[in-house]
Amino acid sequence: MFSNYWNWSRVGHIDILYFDAQMNTSSEGPDLSMFSSSPPLPSALTVFQTYRAVSQDGEVQFCCSYNHIGRHVPEELRVTLYRGLFGEEEEQEVCTSSFSHNQTLFQTKGERGGVGAGDRETPVLCRGQVEAGMVNLTISGLRGNDTDLYRCAIEVMYPPPYLRVFGNGTLLYIPEEPDCPALEPKRRDDSGSLWTRPPLVSVAWVSLLLMVVSNVAFVLYQVLQRKKRFGGIAPMISQNDGRFGYGNFQ
């Protein structure tokens, strides 16, 4: 145990008060209680995001990772997705959802946020898969003009202290879907030359046209055959010799 003493000492004409700590070598051992108290660890939160993600089949996936340092493990958190490099206005918010530390999945509806996003009434669907220190987001319903930088904000709701940190942002590339149908891929026939399968509509029209032409040709052939068969027969002329008394008929 430490024995503490405050003593006065005179140096010249100045009185000095100093602290004298002496070790007590009793059987109980030294008392370290004066050194046991330490300030609490400060809480800190960092968020990292995937640099770039490309949409496939109308969906885009990317990851928001977070690292929390503190005395307590976060039990309730919230993730919010914003469109744009700066700002956190309501118009920039795409979707938001709260989740607990033992939750694995969540799903929520959102809006196509951001300036120039077009029709904000068209909903988007946000799905999240929660893992330790990680939220994998899947966004459905974005269009080609929604290509932009998207930031996710992670919030520690409970226990205190409340923390809110933005990630570095992920560039989401949404390819524009063409209005015209895609061309059939070229294939090689047995001879090795390339060929392209014609559209089904063109094949139907060609078949119909060939059928009409065949019918017209058949009809013309029948007419020509009929004329050829009966064209060489001379018309029959009545030769009355008057023996039957019909000569007076005019």
Side-chain angles (χ1 to χ4, degrees), residues 11 14 16 19-20 34 48 58 95 102 122 132 143 145 149 152 163 173-174 182 185 191 193 201 212 231 236 240 250:
V11 179
I14 303 176
I16 299 177
F19 181 78
D20 185 13
M34 61 179 298
F48 307 94
C95 58
N102 55 1
T122 303
R143 301 175 181 174
N145 58 353
L149 187 73
C152 55
L163 298 173
Y173 175 64
I174 317 297
S191 62
S193 59
V201 177
V212 172
M236 298 181 64
N240 186 8
Q250 301 294 329

Side-chain angles (χ1 to χ4, degrees), residues 14 61-62 68 91 95 101 128 157 217 219 225-226 228 235 241:
I14 303 176
Q61 300 179 358
F62 62 99
H68 178 265
E91 293 78 9
C95 58
H101 69 287
M157 310 299 294
V219 172
Q225 289 295 327
R226 185 179 297 275
K228 184 177 180 180
D241 53 1

Side-chain angles (χ1 to χ4, degrees), residues 201-224:
V201 177
S202 301
V203 174
W205 277 107
V206 171
S207 301
L208 181 61
L209 181 61
L210 291 176
M211 185 180 299
V212 172
V213 171
S214 300
N215 292 334
V216 172
F218 179 75
V219 172
L220 291 177
Y221 174 77
Q222 294 293 332
V223 172
L224 292 176

Side-chain angles (χ1 to χ4, degrees), residues 190-204:
D190 297 337
S191 62
S193 59
L194 293 176
W195 65 280
T196 303
R197 179 184 299 175
L200 296 179
V201 177
S202 301
V203 174

Side-chain angles (χ1 to χ4, degrees), residues 173-185:
Y173 175 64
I174 317 297
E176 188 71 38
E177 296 182 0
D179 297 332
C180 57
L183 297 177
E184 288 286 338

Side-chain angles (χ1 to χ4, degrees), residues 94-159:
V94 178
C95 58
T96 181
S97 179
S98 299
F99 59 94
S100 60
H101 69 287
N102 55 1
Q103 188 175 348
T104 57
L105 296 173
F106 67 84
Q107 178 174 307
T108 181
K109 290 184 178 180
E111 296 179 346
R112 299 169 57 236
V115 178
D119 186 11
R120 284 181 55 85
E121 297 181 357
T122 303
V124 297
L125 184 63
C126 300
R127 302 192 306 271
Q129 182 176 359
V130 182
E131 300 179 7
M134 181 184 304
V135 180
N136 292 312
L137 291 176
T138 302
I139 314 298
S140 305
L142 297 179
R143 301 175 181 174
N145 58 353
D146 293 321
T147 298
D148 206 335
L149 187 73
Y150 289 79
R151 297 170 297 138
C152 55
I154 301 294
E155 300 173 72
V156 176
M157 310 299 294
Y158 182 83

